Amino acid sequence: MPQVAPVGAFAYFSPTGYLLVVNTGRDGGKVDIWDPATGTLLGSAPSIVAPGGTHISADGSLAAFPTRNAAGEIGIYTMPGLERVGTTVMVQPIIYSGPFVVPSERLYHWNVGAELEYWDLSGNGLTNIYSEATGSGGTAFAPDGTWFIKQAPAGTWSRWRTDGLELIDRSTFTLGDAPLPGGGNLTIGPAIGNNGRTFATAYSDCPQPRQDGCASTVVVWDAPTGAPIGQPVHIEGTEGLVSSVLIAFHPDLPMLAIATASNTVRIVRIDGQSVSVGPPFTVRNQGVPFVHVMGFLPSSAAAEPTLFAVSGLFVSAWNVSGELAEETGFANITDRRGVAITPAGQLMLARSAGRLEFFDHTALNKDGTPPVPARSVTGTFPPSTAATSTYAFSADGHWMAVRRNDGKFGLWNLDTVEMVGSNFGPGASYPSTTAPTFLLSPDGSALVVTSEAVTIKWDLDVAKWREKACLAAGRNLTEGEWAKYFPGRPYAVTCDRWPAKPAI
């Protein structure tokens, strides 16, 4: 009989009758392959494995092991020779999960982050993902909410169906890393416009750690085909300034604005399969070298193509219908706590004491006198909604999501001025070096949060939350849990299908 290490060892039989023994003990990281009929050791490979799971392909020719080299690395080895096959495969770090190898050079990897990754081991890399965790990148929703696009820091993009997070397509090339916005630590995400018919992505000529003074490139894509439109728009860098790029599409006209360092904005018009770039203009600023917020108003809100731009403590409105942009008004927003442009074409300013003010573009005057808000909303908005927070709205304007300074997200109903949730976010299980991006579906039915490590979609139908929580827990709350989370309230059965007051 084979002699195996009794501590930290796991044994697996292959379909062809081999016995594979994995020892993950302190002195191990060792894999042995035995012939159980004769007790013969057929192969051995020390120091290659880490805890996390092992699998053998159905034909017995391949085995997959989490390696000791790096968290999330999977090694593929031949059976019984234990020779390494192909290059490194990196997956989400393994937590109580394991890979799954199948014939035809395929690897499935299940991760408790609700992710199923499908790898092509013949050299094409990650083939597909069906998951609540679709990886890193900035994100943008299509106007109808049926799909969204995300761009990774490396510049590549992928498009996903909102229902089920199913992959639609991904880019076949990249022109460089995605640039950084305004010297911050966020990745510039893509932008979608023109009623969902086009989208755009930006790239830097230099890697992200060294983007000072680098040139940038913006590519406009045809949404139905995923093919580029016209030639890339190349923008020279400004020495001493981070290669910042901010993209905003007109929601219903074939044009977009590109803001770069030194508060420079260019209008790009799309004509069939070509693009034309207008002359640059400089938006009003207070010496801050970047545009923080920028957006077009829908045609229903402004007869002429109109652009809002915010730099530092100045907000300005621009008529961009002609070759040369014309500033139509501005305001000095000295107590700015946050700025956003709503789907209805209003400028929202978050003031102190939890007050939100909404302005029409016509309220901005050429002499800079304070504008009069068209509407104000006062509520118990968290005090952390400072200038570093980000706001997102559903297309119907009823819902607002706020990213707080602690990285969590709150969801508000602007009709009732009620908060329906305050702790949406990736959580400590998915650490990230950059602040997460987020977006609301047009009808407010879903919130999608994307960080470096995970993309999570929340169903915002409050009526379904109890059902989903019951399915996830598989039981009711214990008496101790009820007293902890609902102090002073009498115990109630939350999940009708499970017994009340479970002992565990």
Side-chain angles (χ1 to χ4, degrees), residues 380-473:
T380 55
F381 301 107
S384 55
T385 54
T388 55
S389 300
T390 304
Y391 300 80
F393 298 87
S394 61
D396 58 14
H398 297 312
W399 298 95
M400 179 184 73
V402 182
R403 182 180 64 221
R404 303 193 305 265
N405 293 340
D406 62 2
K408 296 291 186 178
F409 297 84
L411 183 69
W412 295 80
N413 185 322
L414 288 179
D415 296 328
T416 61
V417 198
E418 292 180 346
M419 183 174 64
V420 298
S422 63
N423 287 300
F424 299 99
S429 299
Y430 300 101
S432 176
T433 59
T434 62
T437 58
F438 69 110
L439 38 94
L440 275 168
S441 62
D443 60 357
S445 64
L447 173 69
V448 177
V449 175
T450 298
S451 70
E452 288 180 353
V454 65
T455 297
I456 304 173
K457 175 187 172 186
W458 276 280
D459 186 339
L460 299 181
D461 185 346
V462 179
K464 295 180 181 178
W465 287 1
R466 175 181 294 188
E467 177 184 353
K468 292 191 174 186
C470 289
L471 289 174

Side-chain angles (χ1 to χ4, degrees), residues 73-97:
E73 180 182 287
I74 297 292
I76 312 298
Y77 296 83
T78 61
M79 292 274 290
L82 291 178
E83 295 179 357
R84 187 69 177 263
V85 175
T87 57
T88 297
V89 174
M90 296 300 297
V91 300
Q92 289 282 340
I94 300 166
I95 309 172
Y96 307 115
S97 61

Side-chain angles (χ1 to χ4, degrees), residues 5 7-12 19-25 32 51-52 54:
V7 179
F10 303 89
Y12 308 84
L19 176 63
L20 184 147
V21 179
V22 179
N23 178 2
T24 60
D32 294 327
T54 297

Side-chain angles (χ1 to χ4, degrees), residues 274-415:
S274 65
V275 297
S276 59
V277 185
F281 60 95
T282 303
V283 302
R284 190 176 294 271
N285 63 85
Q286 283 185 321
V288 177
F290 305 104
V291 177
H292 302 294
V293 178
M294 180 176 67
F296 282 96
L297 308 188
S299 297
S300 58
E304 300 290 344
T306 301
L307 181 76
F308 270 136
V310 181
S311 177
L313 295 177
F314 274 113
V315 56
S316 52
W318 297 79
N319 183 332
V320 295
S321 59
E323 181 180 1
L324 299 177
E326 176 189 359
E327 186 182 55
T328 60
F330 71 94
N332 188 337
I333 47 177
T334 55
D335 63 343
R336 177 173 68 90
R337 298 296 180 94
V339 180
I341 298 169
T342 72
Q346 290 184 319
L347 180 76
M348 188 212 77
L349 301 180
R351 303 296 195 175
S352 58
R355 189 175 82 255
L356 306 180
E357 295 181 349
F358 297 83
F359 299 86
D360 295 326
H361 72 99
T362 54
L364 297 182
N365 304 300
K366 289 187 176 182
D367 61 2
T369 54
V372 177
R375 177 193 179 203
S376 295
V377 173
T378 301
T380 55
F381 301 107
S384 55
T385 54
T388 55
S389 300
T390 304
Y391 300 80
F393 298 87
S394 61
D396 58 14
H398 297 312
W399 298 95
M400 179 184 73
V402 182
R403 182 180 64 221
R404 303 193 305 265
N405 293 340
D406 62 2
K408 296 291 186 178
F409 297 84
L411 183 69
W412 295 80
N413 185 322
L414 288 179
D415 296 328

Side-chain angles (χ1 to χ4, degrees), residues 144-165:
D144 63 3
T146 57
W147 59 273
F148 67 92
I149 184 171
K150 66 185 186 69
Q151 186 181 12
T156 55
W157 58 260
S158 55
R159 289 197 291 173
W160 303 80
R161 301 190 198 284
T162 307
D163 186 11
L165 297 184

Side-chain angles (χ1 to χ4, degrees), residues 14 16-20 31-35 40-45 56 59-63 65 77-83:
S14 77
T16 51
Y18 298 127
L19 176 63
L20 184 147
V31 177
D32 294 327
I33 297 181
W34 300 81
D35 181 348
T40 303
L41 180 63
L42 302 177
S44 182
I56 306 169
D59 63 0
S61 64
L62 296 174
F65 309 107
Y77 296 83
T78 61
M79 292 274 290
L82 291 178
E83 295 179 357

